Amino acid sequence: MKKTVVINVVGLSSRLIGPHTPKLQRWMQAGQLATIQPVLPAVTCTAQSTYLTGQWPSETGIVANGWYFRDDCEIKFWRQSNKLVQTPKIWDVARQIDPSFTCANLFWWYNMYSTADYTVTPRPMYPADGRKLPDIYTQPANLRPQLQTELGQFPLFKFWGPATSIASSQWIANSAKWVEQRVHPTLTLIYLPHLDYCLQKVGCEPDQIAQDLHEIDDLCGDLIDFYENQGAQVIVLSEYGITPVSKPVHINRLLRDAGLLQVRDELGLEILDAGASQAFAVADHQLAHVYLNDPTVLPTVKQLLEQADGIDYVLDEAGKREYHLDHDRAGELVAVAEPKAWFTYYYWLDDSRAPDFARTVDIHRKPGYDPVELFVDPTFNAPKLKVAAKLLKKQLGFRYLMDVIPLDATLVKGSHGHLTQQPGDCPVFITRQPDLIPQESITAVDVFHLMLAHLQANVPVTAK
């Protein structure tokens, strides 16, 4: 098989490739770009699982970044076991074709306990004293100490949260090079999340994020040069395009106002009680799975959502089949936001009753995705001093709560998840093997077949 590297530049769309990305632009001009018709929802876990299997969410079971685990009566986001993906992956298929094939997965999701040969993924440590410590999980296990000894500790707090920066993508790129120099995989999958942060936080126009575009362009240019010098062919792609939003939709508050959602009091604060609710929503960017413990309220809930401001359409069983979301993990109804809107997970009606985790970066405790975690509360007079004081408590061994995240959803400037209509906002697939791309627009499931075609192609790559 032909040595292939897939660089996943999260949030990259054709309208972002231009003066601020000269290296990507030059590389693209020598090849071919196709826009990808995104899968619904156009979110990380769903898109990546579709790309890696060539199957829709109705087959993979990855209906969002998180969903309601009905047996547990719990909402869980960002699980990591690859066993959640219910169909074979590209490395399984490729290995059947060529037993000598090997794959390195650098930070693509559902990375743990997979059948890929080499894997690296974030996996913080949570000691009993309440700390969260940066760390990674690897396969083989001995990669973990070697990588962090040579490259330094993985910069977890620059991977997500208010302090996000190019540092996390740079670390991932360095780890990919490190793996390549030692084990030379046939297929290398690299995840570069940098643009995801600024597009949601700052805005979606290239001039607004010029520095971020230059940073990711330099990183991509360096990786492309490195791998092409190794005789590899390179694919650059993205999972979704991010578009401007200005309207947060508090879907769980709608359900609570209708008497359908229940909360539980804990120390004077409110916790969503999913198992006791007739209906509740699991919000994930611009899509929300709406689960019904009481099936008799389905007509009421559907009508409520269809009439709500900011909701574009609501899928029932027939609609879920049409969009390949007919899986047991999906909600009984699926709500899709209007292009300028997005769904919060907020369910409390009074901010003084919001749970303590609402003002922290806590991707596992929150019953939905929260992009407001990218911000420090703008009402703080001295935000850096406040953060420093809390970090000092941590260093001194005291218990502390890093409650610096605001509850103002209007701060978010970009989102994704709905099906982008404009080609310039769609995810992209770029290759220097244009003969392998059948047309200018492809589907999300086509990505799997195109990656496999690159692996099987006998195409010479000229080293620089």
Side-chain angles (χ1 to χ4, degrees):
M1 284 193 161
K2 183 67 182 176
K3 188 176 184 64
T4 302
V5 177
V6 183
I7 304 174
N8 179 359
V9 185
V10 182
L12 185 67
S13 59
S14 59
R15 68 182 180 86
L16 297 179
I17 302 174
H20 302 306
T21 57
K23 294 176 182 178
L24 276 173
Q25 188 174 39
R26 285 195 301 270
W27 187 79
M28 178 190 71
Q29 287 170 347
Q32 177 71 38
L33 179 147
T35 57
I36 302 172
Q37 301 165 32
V39 61
L40 185 73
V43 297
T44 297
C45 295
T46 305
Q48 289 186 13
S49 293
T50 299
Y51 289 177
L52 293 177
T53 66
Q55 301 294 327
W56 298 109
S58 51
E59 283 77 41
T60 66
I62 308 304
V63 298
N65 291 320
W67 54 86
Y68 182 52
F69 285 66
R70 298 176 192 270
D71 290 344
D72 293 338
C73 292
E74 291 182 3
I75 298 162
K76 300 178 185 180
F77 267 70
W78 306 110
R79 303 291 91 188
Q80 292 189 285
S81 170
N82 194 260
K83 298 183 186 301
L84 290 168
V85 186
Q86 297 175 336
T87 47
K89 293 78 184 177
I90 190 168
W91 50 82
D92 299 315
V93 176
R95 198 177 290 120
Q96 289 181 342
I97 298 170
D98 178 1
S100 68
F101 168 90
T102 58
C103 177
N105 183 347
L106 288 309
F107 281 69
W108 284 50
W109 212 252
Y110 298 116
N111 202 316
M112 292 175 61
Y113 315 120
S114 82
T115 52
D117 301 275
Y118 310 99
T119 68
V120 186
T121 197
R123 184 68 168 178
M125 292 186 287
Y126 296 93
D129 60 7
R131 289 175 297 161
K132 178 166 65 175
L133 304 178
D135 202 358
I136 55 174
Y137 185 95
T138 68
Q139 173 62 37
N142 63 4
L143 291 181
R144 176 180 169 225
Q146 294 178 58
L147 279 169
Q148 296 199 115
T149 297
E150 296 197 28
L151 305 181
Q153 187 181 61
F154 173 66
L156 177 72
F157 301 118
K158 295 183 179 181
F159 182 71
W160 181 249
T164 52
S165 75
I166 193 67
S168 62
S169 292
Q170 183 67 67
W171 195 98
I172 295 168
N174 290 341
S175 71
K177 289 182 180 180
W178 189 95
V179 169
E180 169 61 29
Q181 290 168 338
R182 286 156 180 82
V183 297
H184 313 292
T186 317
L187 173 64
T188 299
L189 304 164
I190 306 171
Y191 177 72
L192 301 180
H194 182 58
L195 291 183
D196 202 19
Y197 315 138
C198 57
L199 289 165
Q200 294 184 67
K201 186 176 183 178
V202 179
C204 301
E205 292 303 317
D207 289 344
Q208 293 177 297
I209 56 166
Q211 179 179 343
D212 299 282
L213 286 169
H214 280 289
E215 289 173 340
I216 200 68
D217 186 58
D218 286 342
L219 191 55
C220 288
D222 179 66
L223 279 174
I224 290 169
D225 287 346
F226 171 80
Y227 279 106
E228 288 187 344
N229 283 329
Q230 304 295 314
Q233 56 187 343
V234 176
I235 298 167
V236 174
L237 56 72
S238 55
E239 306 159 4
Y240 45 74
I242 298 179
T243 52
V245 293
S246 55
K247 183 188 294 183
V249 178
H250 307 299
I251 187 169
N252 275 317
R253 288 176 176 170
L254 293 174
L255 296 170
R256 183 172 179 180
D257 285 339
L260 298 162
L261 181 146
Q262 299 297 316
V263 299
R264 183 176 70 254
D265 182 284
E266 289 191 0
L267 302 176
L269 305 178
E270 293 181 342
I271 303 296
L272 172 63
D273 194 344
S277 297
Q278 289 178 286
F280 62 92
V282 176
D284 193 355
H285 298 81
Q286 292 179 301
L287 180 137
H289 286 276
V290 181
Y291 294 90
L292 308 179
N293 289 316
D294 179 358
T296 66
V297 302
L298 190 148
T300 300
V301 174
K302 188 170 187 288
Q303 183 179 31
L304 173 69
L305 298 177
E306 287 175 336
Q307 295 174 349
D309 185 33
I311 296 180
D312 197 0
Y313 52 94
V314 180
L315 305 179
D316 55 15
E317 289 303 316
K320 287 188 290 182
R321 283 194 297 274
E322 179 182 354
Y323 287 94
H324 312 287
L325 276 171
D326 49 323
H327 190 279
D328 290 344
R329 292 173 178 168
E332 280 71 21
L333 296 170
V334 176
V336 181
E338 295 174 354
K340 295 285 186 180
W342 65 279
F343 293 116
T344 77
Y345 79 94
Y346 299 173
Y347 55 83
W348 56 90
L349 305 178
D350 179 347
D351 282 352
S352 68
R353 300 271 286 163
D356 57 359
F357 57 71
R359 293 179 173 86
T360 71
V361 176
D362 196 333
I363 64 172
H364 298 301
R365 201 182 305 266
K366 293 179 181 179
Y369 172 71
D370 185 14
V372 188
E373 290 184 344
L374 290 166
F375 300 86
V376 171
D377 195 328
T379 64
F380 292 162
N381 291 326
K384 290 185 179 179
L385 184 60
K386 189 174 182 70
V387 172
K390 291 181 177 292
L391 289 174
L392 180 60
K393 284 186 177 181
K394 174 184 176 181
Q395 292 169 357
L396 294 174
F398 293 106
R399 287 189 175 273
Y400 70 101
L401 187 68
M402 189 61 77
D403 52 346
V404 298
I405 306 303
L407 300 180
D408 182 4
T410 64
L411 293 169
V412 176
K413 298 298 187 292
S415 191
H416 56 93
H418 78 293
L419 296 180
T420 307
Q421 299 301 314
Q422 299 299 322
D425 291 327
C426 287
V428 295
F429 186 104
I430 312 172
T431 177
R432 280 200 169 174
Q433 316 304 340
D435 55 308
L436 296 179
I437 295 187
Q439 52 203 23
E440 293 182 357
S441 177
I442 61 176
T443 70
V445 296
D446 289 334
V447 172
F448 169 88
H449 301 288
L450 285 173
M451 290 193 294
L452 195 60
H454 278 73
L455 287 166
Q456 294 180 286
N458 186 19
V459 180
V461 178
T462 303
K464 297 184 178 180

